[in-house]
Amino acid sequence: MNLYSWLQGHAKERPGKVAVRFRDQEITFRELYRLTDALGTALRGAGVNRDDHVTLMLPNVPEFVLTYMATIGIGSVVTPINPSYTSRELKHILGDYDYRVLVIEKSNRDTYDDIAAECPQKAVITTGPGGSFPEWVTGSGSGIVEDRGRDDVAVMIYSSGLTGYPMGAMLTQGNLDHNSDLLRLCMEADDTDTTLTLIPCFHSFSASVNMLSMLRYGGTIYLMKKLDFRELRHALTDGGVTAICAVPTLFYGLVHHPDLSDIDYAAVRTLIAGGSALSVEVYDAFKEKFHTDIRQGYGITEASPVCSVNRKNRPIKPTSIGQTVPGVAARVQDDEGNILGPGQTGELLFKGPNIMKGYYRREQETRDIIRDGWLHTGDLGYTDEEGYIFITGYKKDMVITSGFNVYSREVTNVLNSLPGIRDSAIIGEPDLMRGAIIKAFVVSDGAELTEDDVKKFARRQLATFKTPRKVLFVPKIPRDGKGRVLFDLLREAP
């Protein structure tokens, strides 16, 4: 099997159907197949072989879809990463193993150039005005599809799991084959659908439910590079959008932005919130204003990512992340390994064809998170008598902001490297739009640091979503005898 075979089939069966829409650009399945075939052939010619790795550091632009599918087509492994990453963050990933090719926007090229000597690539392909990408898709294709097994790795996404430092979660052909079909199985999607693809496709949620589902069914991916409310209005009124699978932040904007107050969602058959908790306030406000429901779901990168959702044609429980998707089992377990019953809170575990192969070159960490086939999520919750799952908190030390996981260890390691800082900790401060914002507590060693100094330093080392939005100087970070932060006491700091 190979996920790329979808494009071969659609190029024959629906060649003129629009596969990708981006601003004023439309790419049909015939053209998408031609371009990916040419790109895959060029990558092979550049020395990219089976199981080699291609780093994809792009926002939601057509070149993302082309590179993603061409890389999978030739039997290589694509690693999509956030284009807002700093040179420090990119260096960690490129240094984790031997990457062959980096695809990056020309305007963002400096991020790589700063570390190029330490992380050499066979090729760096740039997109955007003046970029080299067009040169890679002008040649003739040679029929690139490489036969792969269900257990062969197709995509590797960096996640911190339970550890707090980024590791490559290996997602297989079988993992993505399973997840790409959930929009049909749970929401009755088909080839007449168009997904509003505003969540970045480097995020596993968007890649599975927005991009891969449409490439599988023969539907249309409506790509948006960034949140632009004028373009969003056009997409929702004239763009043919029938499915919105997004983080709660977007639904907050749909409710409160004045330019979107009169949108009619009658043609939108699917509304799913994932990536972080959907607040009752946003759910209620959306339903009251637009007379339709948002269905909350749950995923984790290590599960490709979708595990559960409030399915279509079943009762919605707004505060629940729904029931498990087809083929996936869930259970709740305490710290001693006892399986808990309905209403009892413990760690959420999942098992099924969506669970990753493991972390790249991290055997111990893989054994820690996958035991007897069960993925330990580090999320706390419970189930009710009908199998609906409810999240109550996290075992892992992290903050979820706008759908992105931010691990405390990474942020505090950066903050503690700033001369003048002796200790630090972060928490998530509730925020209706983003779910939470990062608030840092900093202990100074007497240096005359300001909040702005700390923010600027962090911004140079961390992606924007990881950078603290608030900084509070405190005399000390309260800790227990094992050095663990006492967050209840920390939150009481003025």
Side-chain angles (χ1 to χ4, degrees):
M1 69 170 295
N2 191 318
L3 305 182
Y4 183 80
S5 62
W6 300 336
L7 299 188
Q8 290 180 306
H10 295 320
K12 294 178 182 179
E13 297 167 10
R14 44 175 64 84
K17 174 78 181 293
V18 175
V20 179
R21 183 173 288 119
F22 178 70
R23 295 174 178 165
D24 296 329
Q25 182 182 2
E26 293 183 342
I27 302 175
T28 64
F29 277 104
R30 179 196 294 113
E31 183 69 359
L32 183 61
Y33 176 68
R34 185 192 70 79
L35 290 168
T36 53
D37 190 25
L39 177 58
T41 301
L43 289 172
R44 275 181 176 165
V48 181
N49 300 313
R50 184 184 177 101
D51 293 323
D52 283 343
H53 297 86
V54 173
T55 312
L56 183 51
M57 195 175 180
L58 293 178
N60 285 0
V61 292
E63 292 89 343
F64 184 102
V65 182
L66 295 175
T67 307
Y68 191 104
M69 294 306 293
T71 301
I72 290 175
I74 62 176
S76 300
V77 178
V78 59
T79 296
I81 62 174
N82 193 326
S84 73
Y85 275 5
T86 64
S87 297
R88 183 194 68 84
E89 292 163 315
L90 177 59
K91 179 182 175 182
H92 170 82
I93 291 174
L94 295 184
D96 198 35
Y97 56 89
D98 295 327
Y99 281 94
R100 298 290 183 177
V101 172
L102 171 66
V103 185
I104 189 171
E105 286 191 298
K106 186 175 182 181
S107 60
N108 198 26
R109 170 86 194 227
D110 288 349
T111 304
Y112 170 70
D113 288 342
D114 289 342
I115 58 170
E118 301 167 271
C119 305
Q121 303 288 289
K122 280 186 174 291
V124 176
I125 304 173
T126 53
T127 66
S132 62
F133 193 91
E135 302 167 16
W136 289 78
V137 294
T138 55
S140 299
S142 58
I144 64 171
V145 67
E146 178 90 8
D147 189 39
R148 301 292 272 169
R150 293 190 67 83
D151 200 41
D152 286 333
V153 180
V155 174
M156 194 153 79
I157 300 180
Y158 273 77
S159 169
S160 296
L162 305 179
T163 65
Y165 51 86
M167 300 174 292
M170 297 183 291
L171 307 183
T172 67
Q173 294 271 343
N175 292 157
L176 298 179
D177 180 66
H178 170 270
N179 245 239
S180 65
D181 200 23
L182 296 180
L183 212 58
R184 176 183 69 86
L185 295 173
C186 298
M187 298 295 162
E188 301 179 352
D190 57 27
D191 62 348
T192 65
D193 274 293
T194 295
T195 52
L196 176 69
T197 309
L198 178 56
I199 307 178
C201 285
F202 59 74
H203 196 297
S204 57
F205 175 36
S206 190
S208 287
V209 301
N210 288 327
M211 182 178 72
L212 291 178
S213 64
M214 292 299 97
L215 294 178
R216 179 183 188 131
Y217 304 147
T220 301
I221 306 162
Y222 193 113
L223 285 177
M224 287 187 64
K225 184 176 180 180
K226 61 181 180 180
L227 179 57
D228 178 294
F229 283 101
R230 180 180 296 179
E231 184 181 357
L232 180 57
R233 179 178 177 82
H234 172 77
L236 295 173
T237 54
D238 301 311
V241 169
T242 62
I244 303 174
C245 304
V247 294
T249 301
L250 176 64
F251 293 106
Y252 178 93
L254 295 178
V255 170
H256 294 286
H257 199 282
D259 292 346
L260 303 175
S261 61
D262 62 339
I263 297 294
D264 182 1
Y265 290 91
V268 180
R269 304 191 289 263
T270 299
L271 289 161
I272 297 176
S276 61
L278 175 69
S279 71
V280 174
E281 291 89 345
V282 173
Y283 174 86
D284 287 342
F286 193 92
K287 185 168 184 177
E288 181 180 353
K289 191 166 190 174
F290 301 115
H291 311 293
T292 190
D293 291 288
I294 304 170
R295 297 174 181 270
Q296 186 169 197
Y298 169 88
I300 179 172
T301 297
E302 289 81 356
S304 309
V306 183
C307 297
S308 68
V309 70
N310 280 273
R311 299 197 208 179
K312 196 171 187 177
N313 299 322
R314 293 188 184 182
I316 295 176
K317 298 188 179 182
T319 59
S320 169
I321 58 172
Q323 299 163 309
T324 54
V325 298
V328 174
R331 72 185 187 195
V332 180
Q333 186 171 294
D334 67 17
D335 290 340
E336 284 70 48
N338 301 306
I339 300 173
L340 304 178
Q344 295 179 295
T345 297
E347 183 179 10
L348 292 174
L349 279 63
F350 293 96
K351 188 176 188 178
N354 57 333
I355 305 305
M356 69 170 181
K357 188 171 186 175
Y359 292 122
Y360 185 74
R361 293 181 178 174
R362 300 280 187 173
E363 294 182 5
Q364 183 58 55
E365 287 86 345
T366 299
R367 288 193 294 269
D368 289 342
I369 198 171
I370 303 176
R371 305 170 212 164
D372 298 323
W374 288 94
L375 177 72
H376 291 244
T377 66
D379 293 322
L380 299 174
Y382 65 93
T383 61
D384 66 11
E385 296 288 351
E386 296 178 292
Y388 284 79
I389 305 168
F390 297 80
I391 298 286
T392 60
Y394 313 105
K395 289 181 68 175
K396 48 199 174 187
D397 188 4
M398 71 173 193
V399 176
I400 299 180
T401 176
S402 298
F404 295 104
N405 293 355
V406 179
Y407 291 87
S408 299
R409 181 184 301 182
E410 182 180 9
V411 178
T412 57
N413 283 347
V414 167
L415 296 179
N416 293 345
S417 70
L418 173 61
I421 291 181
R422 188 168 68 248
D423 197 6
S424 64
I426 68 167
I427 63 170
E429 185 171 282
D431 180 85
L432 187 58
M433 184 174 72
R434 299 179 180 86
I437 60 172
I438 297 173
K439 181 177 181 179
F441 296 83
V442 170
V443 180
S444 170
D445 65 2
E448 294 183 1
L449 291 173
T450 66
E451 180 179 14
D452 196 47
D453 292 334
V454 176
K455 287 181 179 179
K456 285 182 178 179
F457 179 80
R459 199 174 297 123
R460 290 194 295 268
Q461 305 293 321
L462 297 165
T464 304
F465 68 92
K466 301 178 187 178
T467 302
R469 290 180 175 268
K470 294 183 179 180
V471 177
L472 181 66
F473 290 89
V474 294
K476 67 176 182 178
I477 304 295
R479 298 180 184 273
D480 64 14
K482 295 183 178 180
R484 294 173 299 197
V485 177
L486 299 172
F487 287 104
D488 289 342
L489 294 179
L490 190 62
R491 288 186 176 90
E492 294 175 3

